[in-house]
C-alpha cells in the first residue's frame, strides 16, 4: 500500500473512531487525548490529518453527508427511494440528532472553516437535487397534486420529528417496538400523496415547482461560498 493510501486509511480509521466516541459520549464532545489512546496513536499524528477538534467534527459530518448521498444514488423504484429518505434519520436517530447539533454549534461559533463548510453544503445540495428527482417521479407515479416542495418538507419533518422521538430517553419507554414505529412512519409518508389526488395533473406546474427549488439551491450555493464561518 502506498503512503497516500496508508494516510487515507488511517484518516478513515480516525473519523470512524471519533464518531463512535462521540455517540458513546452522550454530550457531543470528546478529547483528542482519548481519541489518540483508542487508536494507539500519538496525539501529534492526529494533527497531521486535522488542524483542530472542530475540523475533525466537521469532517465527520461531511463523511456522513457523503454516505447519505451515496445511498440516494441507488437507482431503483421511486417508492424505495422515498423509504430510504425517511430511514436515513430513523435508523440511527442518535447519530442524526447529534451531528445536526454539532453542525449548528460549529456554524454559530467557529471561524476558519469556510472551505469545509463549503464542501459540506456542496455535497448536501447534490443530495437535495437527487431527493427532488426521486420525489418528483414518485408524485407523478401516484397521480398526486401535492407539490414537490410540500412533500419534501413533510419528509424532513417526519424524519426530524421521528428521530427526536426515537432518541428521547423519556418517550422510548412508551413507544413499544421501535422497528414497527419506523415502519408506520415510512408507510404514512408513502401513502400521503394519495390523499391529494388529481384528476388532471398540470405537469408544467409540478416541473416549475421543482425547477424553482433547484434554482433556489443553486442561488444559495453562491451565498454560502461567500460566507465566512
Amino acid at each position: 500500500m502506498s503512503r497516500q493510501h496508508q494516510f487515507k486509511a488511517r484518516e478513515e480509521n480516525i473519523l470512524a473512531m471519533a464518531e463512535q466516541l462521540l455517540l458513546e459520549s452522550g454530550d457531543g464532545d470528546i478529547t483528542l487525548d482519548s481519541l489518540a489512546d483508542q487508536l494507539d496513536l500519538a496525539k501529534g499524528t492526529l494533527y497531521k490529518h486535522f488542524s483542530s477538534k472542530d475540523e475533525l467534527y466537521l469532517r465527520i459530518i461531511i463523511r456522513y453527508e457523503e454516505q447519505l448521498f451515496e445511498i440516494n444514488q441507488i437507482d431503483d423504484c421511486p417508492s424505495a427511494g422515498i423509504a430510504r429518505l425517511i430511514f436515513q434519520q430513523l435508523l440511527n436517530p442518535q447519530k442524526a440528532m447529534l451531528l445536526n447539533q454539532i453542525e449548528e454549534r460549529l456554524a454559530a461559533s467557529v471561524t476558519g472553516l469556510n472551505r469545509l463548510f463549503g464542501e459540506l453544503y456542496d455535497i448536501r445540495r447534490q443530495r437535495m437535487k437527487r431527493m427532488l428527482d426521486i420525489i418528483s417521479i414518485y408524485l407523478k407515479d401516484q397521480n398526486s397534486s401535492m407539490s414537490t416542495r410540500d412533500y419534501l418538507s413533510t419528509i424532513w419533518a417526519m424524519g426530524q420529528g421521528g428521530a427526536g422521538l426515537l432518541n428521547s430517553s423519556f418517550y422510548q419507554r412508551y413507544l413499544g417496538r421501535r422497528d414497527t414505529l419506523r415502519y408506520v412512519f415510512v408507510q404514512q409518508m408513502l401513502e400521503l400523496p394519495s390523499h391529494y389526488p388529481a384528476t388532471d395533473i398540470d405537469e408544467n406546474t409540478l416541473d416549475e415547482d421543482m425547477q424553482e427549488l433547484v434554482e433556489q439551491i443553486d442561488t444559495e450555493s453562491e451565498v454560502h461560498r461567500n460566507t465566512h464561518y
Side-chain angles (χ1 to χ4, degrees):
M1 183 184 293
S2 68
R3 283 191 175 184
Q4 183 178 6
H5 286 149
Q6 289 177 340
F7 187 86
K8 293 298 293 182
R10 185 173 64 194
E11 187 167 283
E12 177 61 26
N13 288 337
I14 293 172
L15 289 170
M17 178 57 70
E19 180 183 295
Q20 179 181 327
L21 293 177
L22 273 175
L23 293 173
E24 292 173 352
S25 72
D27 59 3
D29 197 19
I30 60 174
T31 67
L32 293 183
D33 287 324
S34 65
L35 177 59
D37 287 343
Q38 287 291 327
L39 292 164
D40 195 23
L41 293 174
K43 187 176 179 180
T45 301
L46 298 179
Y47 287 110
K48 294 180 181 179
H49 295 267
F50 313 100
S51 62
S52 67
K53 187 164 65 172
D54 289 333
E55 180 182 336
L56 171 64
Y57 287 166
L58 193 49
R59 291 288 298 277
I60 291 171
I61 296 169
I62 291 172
R63 176 174 172 267
Y64 178 57
E65 194 71 33
E66 289 172 338
Q67 291 168 347
L68 295 181
F69 178 67
E70 288 301 316
I71 291 171
N72 289 339
Q73 287 295 92
I74 298 174
D75 189 13
D76 53 9
C77 65
S79 60
I82 295 295
R84 278 193 296 273
L85 295 180
I86 305 163
F87 269 132
Q88 285 167 4
Q89 290 181 288
L90 301 182
L91 285 178
N92 196 332
Q94 180 195 9
K95 182 175 178 178
M97 299 292 289
L98 180 61
L99 294 187
N100 181 68
Q101 291 168 6
I102 293 173
E103 179 184 337
E104 292 298 320
R105 174 171 58 80
L106 292 176
S109 61
V110 176
T111 59
L113 296 177
N114 191 59
R115 180 185 62 81
L116 286 177
F117 266 109
E119 183 178 338
L120 170 65
Y121 293 148
D122 281 342
I123 298 168
R124 185 168 292 161
R125 282 188 292 268
Q126 292 179 54
R127 181 165 71 90
M128 285 178 63
K129 287 182 178 180
R130 175 59 179 162
M131 291 169 66
L132 293 176
D133 287 338
I134 295 170
I135 288 171
S136 178
I137 295 170
Y138 186 67
L139 289 173
K140 290 177 181 178
D141 286 351
Q142 294 296 303
N143 195 40
S144 176
S145 63
M146 197 172 191
S147 72
T148 307
R149 187 186 299 270
D150 287 346
Y151 196 36
L152 174 63
S153 300
T154 309
I155 288 173
W156 278 340
M158 178 66 79
Q160 189 78 2
L165 187 64
L166 292 166
N167 195 48
S168 168
S169 58
F170 178 81
Y171 287 107
Q172 280 179 19
R173 71 189 74 171
Y174 305 106
L175 296 181
R177 291 181 55 184
R178 297 172 62 154
D179 57 339
T180 58
L181 183 60
R182 292 188 183 98
Y183 177 78
V184 169
F185 285 153
V186 172
Q187 282 298 111
Q188 287 178 341
M189 290 310 305
L190 288 172
E191 293 171 4
L192 181 62
S194 66
H195 295 297
Y196 298 86
T199 55
D200 184 18
I201 295 179
D202 185 348
E203 292 195 2
N204 289 330
T205 300
L206 292 178
D207 291 341
E208 288 172 5
D209 177 64
M210 180 176 170
Q211 184 60 36
E212 183 180 319
L213 276 169
V214 171
E215 291 175 358
Q216 182 179 346
I217 291 169
D218 289 338
T219 299
E220 290 176 352
S221 300
E222 295 302 319
V223 174
H224 285 141
R225 288 192 185 98
N226 297 319
T227 300
H228 296 281
Y229 299 90

